[in-house]
Amino acid sequence: MQVGVVTTTHGVRGEVKVYPTTDDAKRFKKLKEILLDTGKQKVRLEIEEVKFFKQMVILKFKGIDTLEEAAKYRQAGLYVSREDAVKLGRDEYFIADLIGVKVYDEDDELIGSLEDVLTTGANDVYVIRMTDGRELLLPAIRQCVLDVDVEQGRMKVHVLEGLI
């Protein structure tokens, strides 16, 4: 599960600035290691120090001690294993698990597949690519999302009048 992206270096001791892609940036404090995706390979790195600056996370990895070493990891994605991922509550799902699920209406008619999840201030919005190619923006609220079965790759929804 992705938790951040390295944006640039920070200082001269090998620290990097990370844009967090997780709901709770403070979770970096609890992590001991992280997987860094260089685009060619995933490298397991031990986290030595965590600081926060504005909306960014400053990470220091063990064994990376210079600005030049840290610069190699610009734009690299940071991931955690599923075991280190945040524990989900009832009716909560990882976005990665929702992407690609088939979306059906109350009559079990295929509407399309979930393409993306937009996170907004009030509630998430599911971006559904409909079978006719159009895009449906469906609010992720109880009135619309009736059932989600990640294992079966299915979601049953009620499309409110005016959304299509």
Side-chain angles (χ1 to χ4, degrees):
M1 311 303 299
Q2 186 180 39
V3 292
V5 176
V6 175
T7 60
T8 188
T9 57
H10 180 79
V12 295
R13 296 182 349 164
E15 295 173 313
V16 293
K17 278 187 186 177
V18 173
Y19 175 77
T21 58
T22 177
D23 290 345
D24 181 16
K26 300 286 184 211
R27 72 188 308 257
F28 281 92
K29 281 279 194 197
K30 296 177 184 155
L31 294 174
K32 293 181 180 11
E33 62 181 24
I34 204 153
L35 284 173
L36 182 133
D37 188 352
T38 65
K40 296 178 182 152
Q41 64 179 352
K42 288 198 175 158
V43 179
R44 189 171 299 277
L45 295 173
E46 189 176 331
I47 296 174
E48 192 173 289
E49 185 178 359
V50 178
K51 297 186 274 188
F52 301 95
F53 181 72
K54 297 185 180 177
Q55 277 75 40
M56 303 296 274
V57 179
I58 311 295
L59 294 181
K60 169 72 174 82
F61 300 116
K62 189 172 187 174
I64 298 175
D65 299 313
T66 67
L67 174 78
E68 294 74 27
E69 290 173 307
K72 295 187 285 187
Y73 299 122
R74 281 191 183 124
Q75 303 309 307
L78 298 176
Y79 296 83
V80 295
S81 65
R82 193 157 293 260
E83 297 80 50
D84 288 333
V86 174
K87 303 299 179 236
L88 297 176
R90 186 170 181 264
D91 294 331
E92 291 183 328
Y93 308 95
F94 291 116
I95 291 174
D97 291 341
L98 292 175
I99 302 298
V101 301
K102 300 294 180 202
V103 181
Y104 297 85
D105 66 14
E106 299 106 321
D107 299 323
D108 257 355
E109 294 291 322
L110 180 65
I111 294 174
S113 62
L114 196 139
E115 222 174 47
D116 198 4
V117 177
L118 306 175
T119 53
T120 67
N123 53 267
D124 290 347
V125 175
Y126 293 157
V127 180
I128 299 166
R129 180 63 54 197
M130 297 174 60
T131 54
D132 64 6
R134 292 182 298 156
E135 184 177 87
L136 168 64
L137 298 177
L138 186 78
I141 57 176
R142 288 193 194 283
Q143 295 91 324
C144 292
V145 181
L146 305 177
D147 184 52
V148 177
D149 187 339
V150 172
E151 286 79 34
Q152 296 294 316
R154 287 181 59 99
M155 179 183 293
K156 187 177 269 193
V157 300
H158 168 70
V159 180
L160 296 172
E161 197 172 314
L163 289 179
I164 293 183

